[in-house]
Amino acid sequence: VLATTRTFSLVGVTARDVTVEVDVRQRGLPNFAIVGLPDQAVRESRERVRAAIGNSGFDFPQHRITVNLAPASLRKVGPSFDLAIAAGILIASEQLPAIALDGCALSGELALDGTIRPVPGTLPMVERAHHGGLEKIAVPAAVSREAAIAMSLGLEGPTVVPLDGLAQLEQIGTDAEPRCDPLSDLALPSSANGAGPAHELDLADLRGQPYLRRALEISAAGGHGLLMVGPPGAGKSLAARRLPSILPPLSPPDSLEVLRVASACGAPVEGLPRRPFRSPHHTISKAGLVGGGSPVRAGEITLAHRGVLFLDELGEFDRATLEALRQPLEEGRVSIARARSRIEFPCRFMLVAAANPCPCGRGETDGECSCVPTAVRRYEAKLSGALADRIDIVLGVEQPSAEAMEAGPGEPSAEVRERVVAARDRQALRLGGRTNAEMSPAETRAHCALSGPAAALLAAGHARYGLSGRGHDRVARVARTIADLDGAERIEERHVGEALSLRRRPEAR
Ligand SMILES: Nc1ncnc2c1ncn2[C@@H]1O[C@H](COP(=O)(O)OP(=O)(O)OP(=O)(O)O)[C@@H](O)[C@H]1O
Ligand SMILES: [Mg+2]
Ligand SMILES: [Zn+2]
């Protein structure tokens, strides 16, 4: 008897259709084979499926069983096919009516006792089931919250059937069928101004540092990359960690994108997503940062999608690793080549970096620098190489004063965020939802018209700092953002002046 069931294989953050064909023959020696490019975890599926069926009140047929995972050309990774394989065997051995699983996909790993374990990628699978015209999808109960949150965010999809154990397959298509509904208790951000889920860290914690605060606000408002250069203990890391709290709250579609990444990476999803903040250590490999490995895993830049990637101690990162960031930064997605395929991950994030002014960290402002000049030059070359042209704002940070540290808390994130949201709204109208940092050279030309004195100031800056063409555009983009924060349609002299001050740290030696 031949049976077919439907399931999915996760590729990046999307799911592909997989059909499970099960052939059970009375003749010949009992045997159980799985074909169709299965990896090790899929092959081990045989043992799990055999035990789970026997321990869930069914009989494992003592016949020749052949399972084919189609299409054979698609690489099948992981244990998520267990449930669909077991269901196929139960149908082929006439222990389950085929009709019950008509139009119902299944995904889940089986434990030996028949419990259904969570698998990564439930959300992409629900989406794929929807696009493939399926009516239902059975998923591990442990990840059904993910589906429920996604539904609350507007995900259209098939009926989601959360299952705890294999024995519950008998309930599908009956009155006892479990189902998963959108959550009613989620506080959805109603508009761009809605606060969304609260952040744990608040900018009120940052004392003093008016220039740093201002740079954070401008960077958040225009989506500009930010490099902070300063001595240890000045508050650079503290500030970076609070950047997500002043960014506009995630819209429902963006929330879905963040959830999709979390789901595909198997990260637990408890509630509405916040803007991610990722801070990989400088020893991270290229694959760890941009994605890769075998099987292919999403990198930190994808985990930072719609949020912030913080590179602390930028000068310590491997140069080749930083180079690998360029293209993803430009394109908002990263594509990883494999022998048979390309796997794509989204990675639209804000880049924030911190560095000490020199290898010893004290820099010349403290007057205690003990570095040899060649080492300082090497270090500076590193900072100004690799990513410097992707970072619109460079700020010198000094130690906060004693008075500032004694003073009360600074302005809270919610207030800063209101100004950021207003500035982003202006950009969204002009650029169809994008930020100033994402303007093409042509758009920069079109939207950054300067008033007479502003143009003169930029020309003077051009000569004084030896701006490159790219540096010129960067100043223009940042000036545009400063004008947007100011509610000004035209870029004035003061906007250019501030933008010029944000692209150079205090004269290096
Ligand atoms: N401006 C500040 N306001 C409030 N606390 C501060 C400030 N600057 C430093 N601190 C305190 O000092 C600690 C260290 O700051 P932080 O880690 O941000 O320094 P850093 O500039 O990142 O230094 P490093 O170069 O060593 O990484 C903070 O956790 C905080 O307690
Ligand atoms: Mg730090
Ligand atoms: Zn030094």
Side-chain angles (χ1 to χ4, degrees):
V1 184
L2 190 72
T4 58
T5 52
R6 307 281 301 268
T7 186
F8 307 98
S9 185
L10 187 66
V11 178
V13 297
T14 56
R16 303 266 176 84
D17 291 331
V18 170
T19 302
V20 180
E21 298 167 352
V22 181
D23 183 46
V24 174
R25 282 172 195 256
Q26 308 276 0
R27 280 195 281 166
L29 290 174
N31 184 31
F32 182 11
I34 300 180
V35 299
L37 206 66
D39 83 341
Q40 188 64 30
V42 181
R43 269 179 264 142
E44 287 171 357
S45 172
R46 281 186 311 196
E47 308 312 322
R48 293 191 300 270
V49 167
R50 194 196 303 271
I53 287 181
N55 289 326
S56 302
F58 300 109
D59 288 320
F60 190 82
Q62 295 304 316
H63 303 303
R64 268 187 95 75
I65 302 171
T66 309
V67 172
N68 181 35
L69 304 179
S73 59
L74 181 68
R75 182 140 214 103
K76 325 288 185 315
V77 182
S80 69
F81 308 99
D82 289 2
L83 184 58
I85 292 172
I89 291 173
L90 293 175
I91 292 171
S93 58
E94 293 172 340
Q95 302 183 70
L96 267 187
I99 187 86
L101 293 185
D102 216 26
C104 176
L106 307 115
S107 169
E109 174 183 346
L110 289 173
L112 298 183
D113 66 356
T115 306
I116 298 173
R117 289 193 166 135
V119 291
T122 295
L123 179 50
M125 291 178 194
V126 172
E127 292 179 310
R128 179 63 213 138
H130 176 58
H131 290 123
L134 290 165
E135 284 154 34
K136 268 184 219 172
I137 175 170
V139 304
V143 286
S144 63
R145 187 170 174 84
E146 192 173 303
I149 292 167
M151 285 183 220
S152 316
L153 286 165
L155 175 83
E156 293 183 68
T159 306
V160 174
V161 182
L163 299 183
D164 288 301
L166 189 61
Q168 281 179 294
L169 281 182
E170 290 183 316
Q171 297 171 352
I172 297 181
T174 71
D175 290 344
E177 179 181 287
R179 60 174 291 161
C180 160
D181 293 306
L183 302 173
S184 51
D185 56 341
L186 283 181
L188 289 177
S190 48
S191 68
N193 290 310
H199 286 266
E200 284 150 8
L201 303 175
D202 200 284
L203 200 55
D205 300 335
L206 180 69
R207 310 202 166 199
Q209 302 293 25
Y211 297 110
L212 176 52
R213 277 185 163 268
R214 177 72 178 157
L216 279 175
E217 180 171 335
I218 294 168
S219 144
H224 302 286
L226 169 67
L227 169 62
M228 300 170 280
V229 183
K236 303 185 294 295
S237 301
L238 182 134
R241 288 183 187 284
R242 282 149 184 82
L243 181 56
S245 71
I246 62 169
L247 290 172
L250 287 166
S251 66
D254 289 355
S255 299
L256 267 181
E257 289 182 16
V258 173
L259 274 190
R260 195 175 295 136
V261 169
S263 171
C265 297
V269 172
E270 304 295 345
L272 283 176
R274 298 182 197 153
R275 295 224 178 240
F277 178 87
R278 304 293 300 186
S279 174
H281 191 253
H282 57 72
T283 53
I284 193 170
S285 68
K286 189 178 146 215
L289 190 62
V290 302
S294 178
V296 175
R297 291 165 60 100
E300 287 291 328
I301 59 173
T302 295
L303 298 172
H305 181 58
R306 299 282 170 205
V308 174
L309 180 74
F310 178 45
L311 302 181
D312 206 355
E313 315 202 33
L314 183 68
E316 304 295 326
F317 279 80
D318 183 53
R319 220 186 157 118
T321 305
L322 293 182
E323 282 293 330
L325 278 178
R326 288 166 153 278
Q327 204 172 0
L329 260 172
E330 197 135 296
E331 297 180 353
R333 62 198 153 77
V334 56
S335 170
I336 294 156
R338 278 293 170 267
R340 289 163 181 274
S341 58
R342 286 194 151 268
I343 301 183
E344 227 173 60
F345 290 100
C347 60
R348 221 165 258 297
F349 59 90
M350 268 187 71
L351 179 64
V352 179
N356 291 328
C358 62
C360 84
R362 289 186 285 259
E364 71 163 6
T365 39
D366 283 15
E368 305 268 302
C369 177
S370 57
C371 301
V372 289
T374 50
V376 174
R377 272 200 297 278
R378 232 188 350 260
Y379 187 82
E380 300 223 315
K382 204 159 179 185
L383 289 192
S384 56
L387 283 179
D389 59 341
R390 298 275 163 262
I391 296 181
D392 285 345
I393 300 178
V394 181
L395 181 78
V397 178
E398 279 160 27
Q399 295 293 3
S401 65
E403 301 83 73
M405 291 304 292
E406 291 300 321
E411 190 184 22
S413 294
E415 286 174 27
V416 183
R417 188 171 58 226
E418 273 182 33
R419 296 192 295 268
V420 168
V421 167
R424 286 242 180 161
D425 286 347
R426 299 181 77 93
Q427 296 164 56
L429 283 179
R430 195 185 301 129
L431 298 166
R434 286 171 307 132
T435 57
N436 287 340
E438 295 169 294
M439 282 192 288
S440 68
E443 284 171 324
T444 306
R445 215 81 54 234
H447 299 305
C448 300
L450 304 180
S451 70
L457 183 59
L458 183 50
H462 204 110
R464 172 136 165 251
Y465 300 122
L467 282 189
S468 64
R470 193 189 270 128
H472 181 108
D473 275 9
R474 238 154 56 198
V475 173
R477 285 197 298 267
V478 173
R480 179 67 267 169
T481 299
I482 295 170
D484 285 335
L485 275 170
D486 204 10
E489 216 25 69
R490 229 178 133 75
I491 301 176
E492 305 292 345
E493 201 177 356
R494 61 182 186 281
H495 305 137
V496 170
E498 188 173 8
L500 278 171
S501 76
L502 287 171
R503 65 162 306 281
R504 279 242 147 185
R505 48 205 154 104
E507 269 329 290
R509 291 171 290 172

